[in-house]
Amino acid sequence: MRTWAVVALLLTPGPLAAQGVRFDGGLGVATGTYLFEERTTTWWVSGGLGLELGAFTLRGSIPLLFQNSTLIAGSGAGNVPTGGSSSGTVADSGRSRHGDGDGRGGTMAGDARPELSHGVVEVPASATTEYQSALGDPTVSLSWRTRAARSTTLGLGATVKAPVADTSTFGTGEWDVGFNAGVSHALGERLLLGVDLAYWRLGDLDDLELRDPVYGTASLGYLGAGGWGGTVLASGGTAVLDGYDAPFSLGAGVHRFRDGRSLSALATIGLTETAPDFTLGLLWGIRLAGW
């Protein structure tokens, strides 16, 4: 879901000194096997308000999640395959991939067994359940945008994720804090090239340490006549889980901006084991009041 914030920061047109209140809503789905044999599918709906004060925007939102396993936990940086109650198994498997565990997964002197690489993590069958609903972690963000040159816009932002969802549902039970910086540059009248960098300080689970990742997103957007547009993007970063690949995904979307209202649809395909295989989301926003 964090990709939505990137798209909004880099590609949303309009005045840089807006004043008013906006409502933002969204719904979507993410599905994948991640590190496991079992497939986890997450449906989400979210709602929030944004207060625009000149170049600054203060925004808060909260999601409601529907998920069929406890293997995936939401974090400020996106979905993380923590393994739920089997998070210790995920940690042990990661150490085995490095060959610095108890020797069961690594190549040791005199041991011709190959090092475990990209094998699935075995978890109890009870980890996969019927769909259950739970309130997700609310986030509050503050962003700032300014025009650095005629064709270039800069943005800075900070986000805090509060630990409402714990490890018994679909969360980590810890605070996360993120910082991001983005730049978008107009290539002619219709094309926008965007780059965003983000750093997240993630809270650790009791038996699974989460690395603090750095993520980058590059996007190319087209804004046509009548407020219609499109986006292609690539996103990736450093690994959150020790011993596992970093997430990387490719995506494309369509957008509609008109009279203070916005509508976007975005799909992504994950290319690594810690990214969801597929996501699809719809995001809309409307200005409720302006002054």
Side-chain angles (χ1 to χ4, degrees):
M1 288 183 285
R2 198 193 73 85
T3 306
W4 291 113
V6 175
V7 172
L9 176 66
L10 298 179
L11 299 178
T12 300
L16 299 181
Q19 305 280 343
V21 178
R22 290 183 58 86
F23 171 80
D24 296 311
L27 60 89
V29 61
T31 184
T33 54
Y34 301 87
L35 312 176
F36 317 104
E37 290 185 355
E38 299 79 5
R39 175 170 296 274
T40 297
T41 299
T42 306
W43 294 88
W44 57 269
V45 294
S46 67
L49 292 175
L51 176 62
E52 300 171 331
L53 297 171
F56 292 90
T57 299
L58 179 65
R59 178 176 285 109
S61 66
I62 187 167
L64 178 64
L65 306 175
F66 302 87
Q67 191 165 297
N68 66 332
S69 85
T70 58
L71 299 174
I72 308 303
S75 74
N79 289 348
V80 179
T82 61
S85 60
S86 300
S87 56
T89 303
V90 172
D92 291 342
S93 179
R95 286 191 291 269
S96 294
R97 292 185 178 205
H98 280 321
D100 57 1
D102 59 8
R104 290 174 295 179
T107 301
M108 303 179 63
D111 188 352
R113 292 175 300 171
E115 181 179 350
L116 288 177
S117 178
H118 305 287
V120 297
V121 178
E122 295 184 0
V123 296
S126 59
T128 303
T129 64
E130 299 294 329
Y131 278 97
Q132 298 179 2
S133 63
L135 199 63
D137 294 323
T139 59
V140 177
S141 64
L142 178 65
S143 60
W144 170 81
R145 296 173 68 212
T146 188
R147 197 176 301 281
R150 181 179 179 181
S151 302
T152 304
T153 301
L154 300 178
L156 298 174
T159 304
V160 176
K161 187 220 73 173
V164 168
D166 58 21
T167 54
S168 65
T169 54
F170 313 131
T172 63
E174 299 293 336
W175 291 86
D176 297 338
V177 180
F179 305 92
N180 69 281
V183 57
S184 61
H185 180 73
L187 303 175
E189 296 183 357
R190 299 298 183 187
L191 293 178
L192 281 174
L193 178 65
V195 177
D196 177 271
L197 292 176
Y199 165 79
W200 278 93
R201 177 68 175 89
L202 303 180
D204 297 326
L205 283 70
D206 290 340
D207 50 6
L208 178 64
E209 181 179 354
L210 302 183
R211 290 181 170 182
D212 300 331
V214 177
Y215 288 136
T217 299
S219 60
L220 180 64
Y222 172 80
L223 296 176
W228 287 98
T231 305
V232 292
L233 60 87
S235 182
T238 60
V240 173
L241 299 174
D242 186 32
Y244 300 94
D245 291 342
F248 186 82
S249 60
L250 299 176
V254 293
H255 316 284
R256 169 73 164 166
F257 305 101
R258 187 180 180 89
D259 300 329
R261 293 171 292 179
S262 63
L263 179 65
S264 296
L266 181 70
T268 68
I269 296 175
L271 302 181
T272 57
E273 61 185 350
T274 56
D277 296 337
F278 176 76
T279 72
L280 177 64
L282 182 69
L283 184 73
W284 61 90
I286 183 171
R287 179 166 293 178
L288 301 178
W291 55 82

